[in-house]
Amino acid sequence: MIKFISWICNIIFKLTSSKQNNPIPTIFIGNWRYLGKNNKEHKVTITDNLELIIDSHSISKNVILTESNRLVFLDAFGFEITFFTNRSSYLFLIDEADDEQYLLTKLH
């Protein structure tokens, strides 16, 4: 029960903590792909209105942080899905639920 309460408190904290209201760099908007576990290909879309879609499933419209090199969504289970760039042409996804990092490739 204590774990559940801690989990709920963590979600509430993430939802209520102040988020940056910086403009979204256009590098995040678009269609991407990455290879997940077992080399399974996944398609990621970030729309102009900041909806996150993975493999044709709407994952989140809840952006909790925007910075010039980072965009963070909160999924329905309270896990963060972070997109970041290292100031090069590379874009990465960090999935907090899986504790994994993936390199994204732009789809044209």
Side-chain angles (χ1 to χ4, degrees):
M1 183 66 164
I2 293 174
K3 272 188 165 184
F4 178 74
I5 292 171
S6 174
W7 178 73
I8 293 294
C9 289
N10 186 35
I11 291 173
I12 291 169
F13 173 76
K14 287 178 181 178
L15 287 173
T16 58
S17 62
S18 62
K19 64 180 175 182
Q20 301 282 341
N21 289 322
N22 300 327
I24 305 302
T26 56
I27 189 170
F28 296 113
I29 307 301
N31 297 304
W32 307 87
R33 75 171 188 91
Y34 70 92
L35 293 178
K37 294 177 182 175
N38 300 321
N39 286 327
K40 181 179 178 192
E41 185 174 293
H42 297 277
K43 181 181 176 190
V44 176
T45 300
I46 300 175
T47 66
D48 290 336
N49 63 350
L50 297 181
E51 180 178 3
L52 173 61
I53 301 166
I54 299 178
D55 295 334
S56 302
H57 299 291
S58 179
I59 302 299
S60 181
K61 295 179 184 175
N62 188 9
V63 175
I64 60 171
L65 179 70
T66 60
E67 294 178 338
S68 62
N69 66 335
R70 194 163 55 140
L71 176 63
V72 182
F73 291 89
L74 190 67
D75 73 11
F77 301 103
F79 291 105
E80 292 180 1
I81 301 172
T82 302
F83 295 86
F84 75 94
T85 180
N86 59 1
R87 301 282 185 219
S88 66
S89 58
Y90 297 110
L91 187 68
F92 299 91
L93 177 153
I94 298 175
D95 186 347
E96 182 183 36
D98 294 335
D99 195 27
E100 293 287 339
Q101 177 176 309
Y102 305 101
L103 174 64
L104 298 174
T105 304
K106 183 81 169 174
L107 295 174
H108 299 283

